[in-house]
Amino acid sequence: MNAVERWRELLPGWGVPEEILAQAPESPWGYPPDLMRRRAHTAAALEPSLSTRRAFEALPEGGSVLDVGVGGGAASLPLATRAARLTGVDESESMLDAFRQAAPPSDIRTVLGRWPDVADDVEPADVAVCHHVLYNVQDLEPFVRSLDAHARRRVVIEITDRHPLAWMSDLWLRFHDLRRPEGPTSVDAAEAISELGYPVRHEVEVRRPRSSGFERREDAVSLARRRLCLAPERDPEVAEALGDRLIQQDGLWSAGPPEQAVATLWWDRSS
């Protein structure tokens, strides 16, 4: 089994079994638009992340950025001080609306749809960025090749070193007696991208969660409980199980690890 096939085989292990999903009172997927908007605002205001620096150094003054899976714009808005055009692609209209509201008054374009299905509707940009999307992409080859084809200078992908829900593995075991897989990881992603013929660089930085979250502690608990496909009356149990993973920073509440390894996968386009 090669690296691309290994990624394709491992990733579905993070799906929710049908018998658990059928009993969920609400969908466990997605993020509230307000949360994504706050994340974008925080990303633009704080010290640039490693991924932002890698994108910035390849971006010419007055250049263009394509942000695939834009969400609220946390990947592209920190580049707006140099970029003249930002294009955001997302399959959620509410996320695109959050991006439009957060974006500065410059040349903004949004495209509704799933990448790479809408790639033909998107113009190339100097730099293509894609943050925290890859673990939702089972078939890496068309996704990555379309990213590369739409970047004139550099592609920058950011993902957590391990699956973004790996920190909840003990909770799945506790509430559903379900063991979660160990992979894939960012190393698997880098190996697959390299196997596709791209000179990918793989860098990891450990950082504390950026200041984004909910004003109310109970809303952070509610999101974790929804991820676990549990009913609202289980909130007190989930809060107790989260323990010190319920974090308050700058007045905002979130649930997650106190620090996390985040990988930057990037490569320059060949001429």
Side-chain angles (χ1 to χ4, degrees), residues 187-237:
V187 172
D188 295 305
E191 289 178 354
I193 293 171
S194 177
E195 186 177 87
L196 292 173
Y198 302 111
V200 62
R201 300 282 299 275
H202 177 221
E203 299 179 279
V204 177
E205 67 174 350
V206 177
R207 64 188 189 216
R208 293 178 58 83
R210 301 214 159 195
S211 180
S212 65
F214 300 94
E215 293 180 355
R216 303 190 315 160
R217 178 180 181 272
E218 51 264 43
D219 290 335
V221 174
S222 176
L223 179 59
R225 183 260 306 157
R226 183 162 62 86
R227 289 278 184 266
L228 292 164
C229 298
L230 298 172
E233 56 266 25
R234 307 292 295 275
D235 276 1
E237 294 176 72

